[in-house]
């Protein structure tokens, strides 16, 4: 495996992700920001943040698989949430947990969570992009 995840001493330990990813591979995979579209371009979970997060993570999983990768190869995630406020964290975590159960992994690489004013279309509440490293 090309990625080692860790929480170094001296940094807070967060359950949702690890603070550091050490990449030792030679092939980089960049996954475009995934929104809550199904394969037909229909938005899943309109007005339901947890459902949209779940779909985004499943879409990232599909994109990774097409490149021969899994979430275990992800070195970095960026998550963009429309009108983010801390009270949305339980819904975000619910969506991640549901996707993780379906994918059979714990997607905990280093992550950045950004609040944004809007995404590509008004019904999209979240977008997730990933960078993976393969041997």
């Amino acid at each position: 495996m090309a990625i080692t995840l860790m929480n170094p001493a001296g940094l807070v330990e967060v359950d949702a992700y690890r603070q550091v990813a050490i990449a030792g591979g030679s092939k980089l995979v960049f996954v475009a920001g995934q929104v809550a579209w199904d394969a037909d371009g229909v938005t899943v979970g309109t007005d339901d943040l947890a459902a949209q997060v779940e779909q985004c993570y499943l879409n990232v999983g599909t994109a990774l698989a097409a490149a021969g990768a899994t979430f275990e190869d992800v070195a970095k995630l960026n998550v963009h949430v429309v009108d983010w406020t801390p009270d949305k964290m339980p819904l975000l975590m619910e969506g991640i947990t549901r996707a993780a159960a379906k994918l059979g992994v714990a997607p905990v690489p280093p992550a950045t969570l950004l609040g944004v004013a809007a995404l590509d279309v008004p019904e999209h509440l979240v977008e997730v992009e990933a960078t993976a490293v393969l041997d």
Side-chain angles (χ1 to χ4, degrees):
M1 190 170 328
I3 303 292
T4 301
L5 302 177
M6 62 184 291
N7 281 317
L11 294 179
V12 67
E13 192 168 313
V14 180
D15 291 336
Y17 61 89
R18 301 300 174 262
Q19 295 285 3
V20 175
I22 302 167
S26 59
K27 181 178 178 182
L28 296 176
V29 178
F30 299 95
V31 176
Q34 297 297 304
V35 293
W37 277 327
D38 66 13
D40 296 319
V42 176
T43 299
V44 172
T46 302
D47 296 325
D48 182 343
L49 181 61
Q52 287 202 17
V53 169
E54 178 182 5
Q55 186 64 44
C56 290
Y57 274 75
L58 294 175
N59 289 349
V60 169
T62 298
L64 290 168
T70 71
F71 267 97
E72 292 180 353
D73 301 305
V74 173
K76 181 72 168 69
L77 288 173
N78 289 321
V79 180
H80 303 85
V81 182
V82 174
D83 297 326
W84 174 258
T85 55
D87 63 309
K88 293 180 180 179
M89 185 61 82
L91 294 171
L92 179 80
M93 294 309 299
E94 178 185 336
I96 293 170
T97 299
R98 292 188 334 215
K102 289 181 178 177
L103 294 165
V105 298
V108 294
T112 298
L113 173 62
L114 298 168
V116 297
L119 292 170
D120 58 335
V121 295
E123 61 266 16
H124 289 158
L125 305 175
V126 62
E127 184 169 325
V128 179
E129 62 180 306
T131 302
V133 181
L134 299 173
D135 288 323

